[in-house]
Amino acid sequence: MRRPLIAGNWKMNTKLEEAENLVRAMLAELDSIDGAEKVLCPPFISLAILKELTKTTSVKLGAQNMHFEDRGAYTGEISPLMLTDLCDFVILGHSERRQYFAETDEIINKKVKKALGSGLKPILCIGESLEDNESGKAEQIIARQVKAGLAEVSPTSQLVIAYEPVWAIGTGRAATGKQANTTINLIRSIMANLWNRETAKAVRILYGGSVTSSNIAEFIAEPEIDGALVGGASLKASEFVSIVSQTASLKSPR
Ligand code: 13P
C-alpha cells in the first residue's frame, strides 16, 4: 500500500554547475529503478535546471523549505506559488530550520497547511535532540511535534513524515533499525489517534540521520519504515543510487 520513498536533502551544498553534474551522474540509473519513489531536494536556485533535466524521467523534485504566504514583503523568502511550478515535494520543519532559524511548531504547522492547500506534498521532519533523548523525553517531544505540526490539518496520505533524531544527523551515529521502527510506530499511533487508523497506515514515514548505502538495508527491513531522508550520502551519486536500489529491491510495495 505504501510506496517506498527515498529523498535526498542536499542542504546548502552544490553551486549550479555542481548540481547539474550531480544529477547527470545519477539520473539514468535512478530513472531505471522502479520499486521506489525518488526525490531530489537541491537548493532553490537549482530547482529550475533540475526540472529541465528530470522532466522526462521518474525522478521527482522537492524544495528544502518555503514561506507560508503566497506573496508579499518577505525579503529573501520563497513562496508555495513559486514552488508548484518547479517541484512536487517540500521539506518542512527540518531540525536545522528549527534550531538555526527559530522555526516553531506553530510556524511549521502554517507551512504544512499551506503546502497541502497548494498541492505540494510536505515532508514534515520531526525528531528529538540528544538532550531530550538522554533525559527520557523523546516520546513527549515527538508527540508534541506531531500534534502541533498537524493541528487543523485534514487527514491526508499526501503527507510524508521524516523521523530524524537530531543526534543522528550528520554524526555518523545512526539510530538502529529497531529504535527507528519503534519510534515510527509511535508516530503512526499518534496520527491514528489524531486522524484515523486508515490514513495513519497510508502515510509514509521515513527515517533520516546518517543513512548510507551500508546501513539502509537495516532500516528498510523494518515494517514501519517506508524509506529514508538522506543528507550527506545524497551528495554522492553512487551512494544515493545504491540506497535507492537497495530500497527498491528489499521493500516490496505493501
Ligand atoms: P545526514 O544523512 O547527513 O545525517 O543528514 C540527514 C538529514 O538531515 C536529512 O534531512
Side-chain angles (χ1 to χ4, degrees):
M1 194 172 73
R2 299 191 297 264
R3 184 163 162 76
L5 190 162
I6 299 289
N9 175 9
W10 293 5
K11 306 193 180 182
M12 196 174 72
N13 296 291
T14 66
K15 296 168 65 174
L16 273 183
E17 195 185 347
E18 292 164 338
E20 186 174 340
N21 290 341
L22 184 54
V23 172
R24 285 191 193 282
M26 54 179 151
L27 194 55
E29 278 181 289
L30 283 185
D31 188 30
S32 70
I33 302 169
D34 269 340
E37 197 165 13
K38 304 141 285 194
V39 182
L40 302 177
C41 306
F44 288 128
I45 59 152
S46 294
L47 279 170
I49 182 129
L50 261 66
K51 188 189 171 193
E52 192 57 30
L53 290 169
T54 56
K55 70 181 176 196
T56 59
T57 75
S58 55
V59 174
K60 301 202 172 124
L61 300 178
Q64 298 174 17
N65 180 32
M66 61 164 222
H67 197 272
F68 50 77
E69 295 287 354
D70 281 335
R71 61 177 69 78
Y74 299 102
T75 302
E77 290 293 312
I78 297 288
S79 88
L81 276 188
M82 301 166 186
L83 291 179
T84 48
D85 281 344
L86 293 169
C87 60
D88 296 318
F89 290 83
V90 58
I91 298 172
L92 295 175
H94 193 282
S95 61
E96 288 149 16
R97 303 278 335 155
R98 295 178 191 257
Q99 195 179 343
Y100 306 132
F101 302 96
E103 287 198 13
T104 60
D105 285 325
E106 289 67 36
I107 292 172
I108 294 159
N109 174 246
K110 283 187 184 179
K111 293 183 175 191
V112 171
K113 285 190 273 196
K114 188 66 191 189
L116 286 167
S118 308
L120 291 163
K121 295 178 189 165
I123 302 177
L124 170 63
C125 300
I126 56 174
E128 81 284 3
S129 67
L130 181 62
E131 195 187 349
D132 296 332
N133 186 279
E134 286 176 345
S135 58
K137 286 206 209 120
E139 291 190 4
Q140 186 187 323
I141 298 292
I142 284 160
R144 191 206 73 211
Q145 290 176 344
V146 174
K147 288 182 199 157
L150 298 181
E152 296 164 18
V153 175
S154 308
T156 173
S157 58
Q158 296 299 98
L159 176 79
V160 177
I161 290 191
Y163 168 55
E164 299 205 311
V166 178
W167 46 268
I169 296 178
T171 57
R173 189 186 149 205
T176 64
K178 290 268 174 293
Q179 279 174 327
N181 193 67
T182 301
T183 306
I184 288 174
N185 198 32
L186 170 76
I187 294 168
R188 223 181 271 292
S189 61
I190 296 166
M191 288 180 69
N193 284 332
L194 200 65
W195 287 355
N196 57 67
R197 266 196 70 192
E198 198 148 294
T199 315
K201 272 176 89 174
V203 166
R204 289 176 294 180
I205 309 185
L206 317 178
Y207 167 75
S210 296
V211 170
T212 66
S213 63
S214 311
N215 63 18
I216 184 68
E218 181 184 339
F219 297 106
I220 289 309
E222 297 293 335
E224 294 298 332
I225 306 181
D226 302 314
L229 181 55
V230 185
S234 72
L235 293 167
K236 291 177 213 133
S238 59
E239 269 286 293
F240 192 67
V241 168
S242 170
I243 290 168
V244 173
S245 77
Q246 289 184 60
T247 301
S249 55
L250 295 171
K251 196 111 190 155
S252 50
R254 283 160 298 149

